[in-house]
Amino acid sequence: MMRSMYSAISGLKAHQVMLDVVSNDIANVNTVGYKGSRTSFKDSLTQLQQGATAPSGNQGGTNASQVGLGVQLGSIDNVMNSGAFQPTGNVTDVAIQGDGWFRVAAGAPPAVPTAFQYTRAGNFTFNAAGYLITQEGYYVIGHDAPGGAGADTYIIVPPGSTDVAIGADGEVSYVDSTGTRQTAGYLTLATFPNEAGLMRVSGNRWVESAASGTPNVSTPGTNGFGSTISGTLEMSNVDLATEFTEMISAQRGFQANSRAISVADDLLQELVNLKR
């Protein structure tokens, strides 16, 4: 009975984590570029009651008898499929059609930083100095030429320029004071051998990890990278119908394990009452 209690306690803990993950996904259902998560469980240790035996002259052999000792969290996986696209009409709102992550960094121009973070949230803007930045003030890192051979650079549009445009190849251009269209740079994208291995930080940003592998960097539309769509945002990939189903499953699992503890407690009470 004590064993059943401890198994049920492990079930309560695992389903609480599952509910935590589901609740966070639901909270971010309208977060730009958000990627959902999912939980998986695995069984814990088992106690051997009787070992397996091989067939002999008069016996056909027996299978092992084992009693499980509960459950534990197996993994919390990142779900990396694309979210729905939402047209905004704002030229600095950029979505990625296909593979790739925008590269952003905290830095002090003109020195280009070397520590990058990655995001699918393309709700960019220009600061007072004309630099393309995220809503949290991180600089968007681009290349000075298309393809993967360009050098890292900030993307800056001089204040007072007009007719800013962002192409499907990531080219950011503007019309200067003389009426000539100029190129400010090219947005860059990064792909990873295992993008599900990226680690979340805050503000829709991710960093590479030992599991994700090192990034491969190029501009949109080249080398198999996705293309950029200006005036559009990629929204959260959270599916509310799936999340509500997961929430009900977590709730019922929690209730069932709570009931198992109650039943084990009733049995213990019966044992205590035997002395009366």
Side-chain angles (χ1 to χ4, degrees), residues 17-156:
V17 173
M18 180 180 179
L19 185 58
D20 292 341
V21 171
V22 170
S23 298
N24 184 64
D25 283 351
I26 293 175
N28 285 281
V29 68
N30 288 314
T31 300
V32 177
Y34 178 80
K35 301 300 180 184
S37 301
R38 66 185 180 198
T39 53
S40 65
F41 299 154
K42 61 181 180 181
D43 59 346
S44 191
L45 298 172
T46 57
Q47 186 174 5
L48 183 65
Q49 303 294 305
Q50 176 181 314
T53 61
S56 60
N58 297 321
Q59 297 290 332
T62 59
N63 297 326
S65 298
Q66 297 174 283
V67 177
L69 299 178
V71 66
Q72 56 184 314
L73 185 66
S75 65
I76 301 177
D77 305 315
N78 297 315
V79 180
M80 292 302 197
N81 58 292
S82 297
F85 286 170
Q86 176 177 306
T88 65
N90 184 7
V91 67
T92 56
D93 288 341
V94 187
I96 302 172
Q97 177 73 56
D99 296 332
W101 297 75
F102 295 115
R103 302 160 70 225
V104 301
V112 180
T114 57
F116 303 109
Q117 298 181 0
Y118 307 92
T119 184
R120 293 279 293 197
N123 50 333
F124 303 137
T125 187
F126 290 105
N127 66 7
Y131 288 95
L132 187 65
I133 60 173
T134 69
Q135 294 297 324
E136 288 193 319
Y138 284 74
Y139 292 94
V140 179
I141 305 301
H143 273 179
D144 56 7
D152 288 338
T153 183
Y154 293 108
I155 296 177
I156 179 171

